[in-house]
Structure formats: C-alpha cells, structure tokens
Amino acid sequence: MQPHLLLDVKRTIYSHTNPKATKTLVFIGGIHGNEPAGIYGLQHVIAAICKHKLELQCNLYALAGNLNAIQKNIRYETTDLNRLWTHENIQKITSQTTFNSQEEKEQAELHECIQDILNTHSGTFIFIDLHTTSSETIPFITISDSLKNRAFVSNFQLPIILGIEEYLDGPLLTYINEFGYIALGFEAGQHEDPEAVKNCETFIWQALMAAEALTKHTIEPLNVLPKNFLKVKNLGTFYEISDRYHLKKEENFTMKPGFKNFDTIQKSQEIATSNSTTINANVSGKIFMPLYQKQGDDGFFIITEISTFWLKLSSMFRTLNLHHVLRILPGVQQDKSNANALIVNPKIAAFLATKIFHLFGYRKKVLKSEKWYFIKRD
Ligand SMILES: [Zn+2]
C-alpha cells in the first residue's frame, strides 16, 4: 500500500452520467480511513474506463468516505464514520453548520453528496461500500436481507452474510437500505494485503457487469481484470450471525493468534482473553471478523450457514406478503408511525423467536422501552 498517494483524494473521486441510464451505481471507499484498498481499486478501474473510453450504460459515482482519516491512515479520528447514520444524527448534521467532531463534518458532506445523487437520477440505485478487515480473510459480502439485495448478490460467487446490521448501530448501508435501495458491503481482504486491492478491482468490474453497465465481452479483451477473478470455493453461500462478542468500555481484549475469517470453530473452544479471563465459543460455527486491531466494538462474531430451504421459504412468504399474519399474534403491534415496523412485547410474544421475524422479512431488532422493534426490508 502507498498511503501517500491518497493525500489528495476528493470526496467525489469520479462521476459519470448517462442520460439514457436506468441504473445508478454508487461506490464508497475509505469510510474507514485505514482501509484504502477500496479507493485504490476504484482509481484503477476508473483509469481503465477512461483509458479505453468505455461506454457505461449506467450513472457511476465513486465517493471517498473519511477523508481526514484516509490521510492519516487511521480508522477514524473521534468516532467511527460508519456508526453515525441514525435518523437522530442525520437530523442533527443537516440542521447545523458547526460540528462536534471531524467525523460529523465528513458525514454531513457525504450525506449531501448522496442526497444530490438521489435527487439527480431516478430508476434503480445500487450502493456498494468497500471495506477490508483486520484479520486475514477471503473476500465476502454483507447485506441486509431484502429480496432485492439477495437478487443482486446472486451475481457473485462469494460468501454472503445476512443481517450483521442488527448488531451494529448506524452503519451507512442500513440508512440506505431503509429507502429500499440495493446496498451491499464488500470486504476485500486484510487491510494491508495487496490482494485486497485486486479483489476490489475485480469486484467493481463484476458489479458493473451485474448492473449491466458493461458486458463481459467489452471487459475481457482489455486485460484489465486482475488474474484472481473471484471464485471462493468450498464455502456455503448464505450465513447468519449466531453469536457476537461485544466489547465493554475499557475492556482489555485479545484474540488468540492465528484465527482467519471463516475458520471453523467448535463450541467451548478458546477464542480470546478478556482482562486475562479466557473467552470460549458459545456455539459451533465459523469465526467471523475477529478483532486484531485496537479500534473496534466487537471482539468476534460466530456465523452459521443458512439452509436453502429457509431461504426459499422466506422468499415465498415475502413475495406473498404473508407478513400481515404476524400482526394478529398476541404481543405484536403495528407501529403507527412506521408502516414497516412492528412493536413486539417480549413478555407476551416470547415464543416468537427472532428467526420467525427474519423469515417474514423483518430484520433490525431494536430494544426501546422494553419492547422490540422490527423493521421490514421488503
Ligand atoms: Zn471497514
């Protein structure tokens, strides 16, 4: 990596509009400043598009996330820019001109940029947020479980993790998803691994093909695709989060060395230490996003594969709009201020496992005054 090359990165790295386009792709790189691979990947692809004068059948935007943190090669200065996208914060940053932190200022600029794009175009919007991880990993995709997202990610032969948003407060993609746009996160590899840049490039080209902005026949003869065209074998497609180790303030957390993302682990296996106490796995599965850096809120997740049966069943339930059934159950109420939200009293509806809400397309579970709030995706 050559961080000095990123010193003059602008908020809008590139924009291309095509008046006939029905799709708009928005790529975001470096929302975490210590993850420059996405920006390098975007720069390489854009250079090739310009050099070969490729005619894109889409509107295309490449945006940079945390400009200040990118220059300093740190995840963030004061707060994580990818944890600020709650309605309360957005209300705040759009109604004030002075900001409490560098990240609030960055968020206000990025928000304005995204709003401009949404106001300029119509049709389908596809948002892709490019990241890397602190541990070694094969590339993977994270999405909120909407049918639109599922359809778009079926173009990629990569592991797909559903519903990590339920464990994170205020990631950008959750905010985007709530408007019903396609939104996916791509994790390209370890922060400093040069392969992560190549993986980003490959993924960006693949996304352009998946959105029918370019054809395979146009790209292949140009020799612009890195040789490691992504194909991750021996891994199931869809995973869900089965467990999470969330860090408390001032906790002295250390992962045991040597875990790679997606390594298989057994229940009770030693995973980490916290203030010199051993932490064991609560369930068997695969280790996911083990924390090997200082900044971060989650020590690790454990993921398990989702069956094809469940995926098909949930897709059928949603297509048939069967979610109305949930509202007649005891302890479940429609939120009057949000047609897509259900309020659940956990004391009455304890028999309804979170998994059932997932089946009907409800994902985000928030606890507010002792009630659960589930928001429907599609
Ligand atoms: Zn990241």
Side-chain angles (χ1 to χ4, degrees), residues 30-35 75 80 82-83 129-133 186-187 191 289 293:
I31 199 162
H32 290 136
N34 61 336
E35 303 176 13
R75 187 174 167 93
D80 189 330
N82 203 27
R83 299 289 181 274
D129 194 11
L130 304 166
H131 288 260
T132 49
T133 58
F186 175 65
E187 300 276 356
H191 298 328
M289 309 270 268
Q293 65 188 6

CSV table of all heavy atoms in Angstrom, one decimal, residues 30-35 75 80 82-83 129-133 186-187 191 289 293, ligand 1:
chain,number,residue,atom,x,y,z
A,30,GLY,N,-13.1,3.8,1.7
A,30,GLY,CA,-12.5,4.5,2.8
A,30,GLY,C,-13.4,5.2,3.8
A,30,GLY,O,-13.0,6.2,4.4
A,31,ILE,N,-14.6,4.6,4.0
A,31,ILE,CA,-15.4,5.1,5.1
A,31,ILE,C,-14.7,4.9,6.4
A,31,ILE,O,-14.8,5.6,7.4
A,31,ILE,CB,-16.8,4.6,5.1
A,31,ILE,CG1,-17.8,5.5,5.9
A,31,ILE,CG2,-16.9,3.1,5.6
A,31,ILE,CD1,-19.2,5.2,5.6
A,32,HIS,N,-13.8,3.8,6.4
A,32,HIS,CA,-12.8,3.6,7.5
A,32,HIS,C,-11.5,4.0,6.9
A,32,HIS,O,-11.1,3.5,5.8
A,32,HIS,CB,-12.8,2.2,7.9
A,32,HIS,CG,-14.0,1.8,8.7
A,32,HIS,ND1,-14.7,0.6,8.4
A,32,HIS,CD2,-14.7,2.4,9.6
A,32,HIS,CE1,-15.7,0.5,9.3
A,32,HIS,NE2,-15.8,1.6,10.0
A,33,GLY,N,-10.8,5.0,7.5
A,33,GLY,CA,-9.6,5.6,6.9
A,33,GLY,C,-8.4,4.7,6.7
A,33,GLY,O,-7.6,4.9,5.9
A,34,ASN,N,-8.4,3.6,7.5
A,34,ASN,CA,-7.3,2.6,7.4
A,34,ASN,C,-7.6,1.5,6.4
A,34,ASN,O,-6.9,0.5,6.5
A,34,ASN,CB,-6.9,2.1,8.8
A,34,ASN,CG,-8.1,1.3,9.4
A,34,ASN,OD1,-9.2,1.5,9.0
A,34,ASN,ND2,-7.8,0.4,10.3
A,35,GLU,N,-8.6,1.7,5.6
A,35,GLU,CA,-8.9,0.7,4.6
A,35,GLU,C,-8.9,1.3,3.2
A,35,GLU,O,-9.9,1.5,2.5
A,35,GLU,CB,-10.3,0.2,4.9
A,35,GLU,CG,-10.4,-0.4,6.3
A,35,GLU,CD,-11.8,-0.9,6.7
A,35,GLU,OE1,-12.7,-1.0,5.8
A,35,GLU,OE2,-12.0,-1.1,7.9
A,75,ARG,N,-8.5,4.4,11.4
A,75,ARG,CA,-9.9,4.0,11.1
A,75,ARG,C,-10.8,5.3,11.3
A,75,ARG,O,-11.7,5.5,10.4
A,75,ARG,CB,-10.3,3.0,12.2
A,75,ARG,CG,-11.7,2.4,11.9
A,75,ARG,CD,-11.9,1.2,12.9
A,75,ARG,NE,-13.2,0.7,13.0
A,75,ARG,CZ,-13.7,-0.3,12.3
A,75,ARG,NH1,-13.0,-0.9,11.4
A,75,ARG,NH2,-15.0,-0.7,12.4
A,80,ASP,N,-16.5,6.5,14.8
A,80,ASP,CA,-16.5,5.7,13.6
A,80,ASP,C,-17.5,6.3,12.6
A,80,ASP,O,-18.7,6.3,12.9
A,80,ASP,CB,-16.9,4.3,14.0
A,80,ASP,CG,-16.7,3.3,12.9
A,80,ASP,OD1,-16.9,3.7,11.7
A,80,ASP,OD2,-16.5,2.1,13.2
A,82,ASN,N,-18.8,5.1,10.2
A,82,ASN,CA,-19.8,4.1,9.7
A,82,ASN,C,-20.7,3.6,10.9
A,82,ASN,O,-21.3,2.6,10.8
A,82,ASN,CB,-19.0,2.8,9.2
A,82,ASN,CG,-20.0,2.0,8.2
A,82,ASN,OD1,-20.9,2.6,7.6
A,82,ASN,ND2,-19.7,0.7,8.1
A,83,ARG,N,-20.8,4.4,11.9
A,83,ARG,CA,-21.7,4.2,13.0
A,83,ARG,C,-22.6,5.4,13.3
A,83,ARG,O,-23.1,5.5,14.4
A,83,ARG,CB,-21.0,3.7,14.3
A,83,ARG,CG,-20.1,2.5,14.2
A,83,ARG,CD,-21.0,1.2,14.1
A,83,ARG,NE,-20.1,0.1,14.0
A,83,ARG,CZ,-19.6,-0.4,12.9
A,83,ARG,NH1,-19.9,0.2,11.7
A,83,ARG,NH2,-18.8,-1.5,12.9
A,129,ASP,N,-20.4,-0.5,-0.6
A,129,ASP,CA,-19.4,0.1,0.3
A,129,ASP,C,-18.2,-0.8,0.4
A,129,ASP,O,-18.4,-2.0,0.8
A,129,ASP,CB,-20.2,0.2,1.7
A,129,ASP,CG,-19.5,1.1,2.7
A,129,ASP,OD1,-18.5,1.7,2.3
A,129,ASP,OD2,-19.9,1.0,3.8
A,130,LEU,N,-17.1,-0.3,0.1
A,130,LEU,CA,-15.9,-1.2,0.0
A,130,LEU,C,-15.0,-1.1,1.3
A,130,LEU,O,-14.7,0.0,1.8
A,130,LEU,CB,-15.0,-0.8,-1.1
A,130,LEU,CG,-15.7,-0.8,-2.5
A,130,LEU,CD1,-14.8,0.0,-3.5
A,130,LEU,CD2,-16.0,-2.2,-3.0
A,131,HIS,N,-14.8,-2.3,1.9
A,131,HIS,CA,-14.0,-2.4,3.2
A,131,HIS,C,-12.9,-3.4,3.1
A,131,HIS,O,-12.9,-4.2,2.2
A,131,HIS,CB,-15.0,-2.8,4.3
A,131,HIS,CG,-16.0,-1.8,4.7
A,131,HIS,ND1,-15.8,-1.0,5.8
A,131,HIS,CD2,-17.1,-1.4,4.1
A,131,HIS,CE1,-16.8,-0.2,5.9
A,131,HIS,NE2,-17.7,-0.4,4.9
A,132,THR,N,-12.1,-3.4,4.1
A,132,THR,CA,-11.1,-4.5,4.4
A,132,THR,C,-11.2,-4.8,5.9
A,132,THR,O,-11.8,-4.1,6.7
A,132,THR,CB,-9.7,-4.1,4.0
A,132,THR,OG1,-9.4,-2.9,4.6
A,132,THR,CG2,-9.5,-4.1,2.5
A,133,THR,N,-10.6,-5.9,6.3
A,133,THR,CA,-10.7,-6.4,7.7
A,133,THR,C,-9.3,-6.4,8.4
A,133,THR,O,-8.3,-6.5,7.7
A,133,THR,CB,-11.3,-7.8,7.8
A,133,THR,OG1,-10.5,-8.7,7.0
A,133,THR,CG2,-12.7,-7.8,7.2
A,186,PHE,N,-18.8,-4.8,0.7
A,186,PHE,CA,-17.8,-5.8,0.2
A,186,PHE,C,-16.6,-5.7,1.0
A,186,PHE,O,-16.0,-4.7,1.2
A,186,PHE,CB,-17.5,-5.5,-1.3
A,186,PHE,CG,-16.4,-6.4,-1.9
A,186,PHE,CD1,-16.6,-7.8,-2.0
A,186,PHE,CD2,-15.1,-5.9,-2.2
A,186,PHE,CE1,-15.6,-8.7,-2.4
A,186,PHE,CE2,-14.1,-6.8,-2.7
A,186,PHE,CZ,-14.4,-8.1,-2.8
A,187,GLU,N,-16.2,-6.9,1.6
A,187,GLU,CA,-14.9,-6.9,2.4
A,187,GLU,C,-13.9,-7.6,1.5
A,187,GLU,O,-14.1,-8.8,1.2
A,187,GLU,CB,-15.2,-7.7,3.7
A,187,GLU,CG,-16.3,-7.0,4.6
A,187,GLU,CD,-15.7,-5.9,5.5
A,187,GLU,OE1,-14.5,-5.7,5.5
A,187,GLU,OE2,-16.6,-5.3,6.2
A,191,HIS,N,-6.4,-5.5,5.7
A,191,HIS,CA,-6.1,-4.1,5.3
A,191,HIS,C,-4.9,-3.9,4.5
A,191,HIS,O,-5.0,-3.1,3.5
A,191,HIS,CB,-5.9,-3.3,6.6
A,191,HIS,CG,-7.0,-3.2,7.6
A,191,HIS,ND1,-8.4,-3.2,7.2
A,191,HIS,CD2,-7.1,-3.1,8.9
A,191,HIS,CE1,-9.1,-3.1,8.2
A,191,HIS,NE2,-8.4,-3.1,9.3
A,289,MET,N,-15.0,-12.0,11.5
A,289,MET,CA,-14.5,-10.7,11.9
A,289,MET,C,-13.8,-10.6,13.2
A,289,MET,O,-14.1,-9.8,14.1
A,289,MET,CB,-15.6,-9.6,11.9
A,289,MET,CG,-16.5,-9.6,10.6
A,289,MET,SD,-15.8,-8.5,9.4
A,289,MET,CE,-16.7,-7.0,9.8
A,293,GLN,N,-7.2,-5.5,15.8
A,293,GLN,CA,-6.7,-4.1,15.8
A,293,GLN,C,-7.2,-3.5,17.1
A,293,GLN,O,-8.1,-4.0,17.7
A,293,GLN,CB,-7.1,-3.4,14.6
A,293,GLN,CG,-8.6,-3.2,14.5
A,293,GLN,CD,-9.1,-2.6,13.1
A,293,GLN,OE1,-8.3,-2.5,12.2
A,293,GLN,NE2,-10.3,-2.3,13.0
B,1,ZN,ZN,-14.4,-1.1,7.3
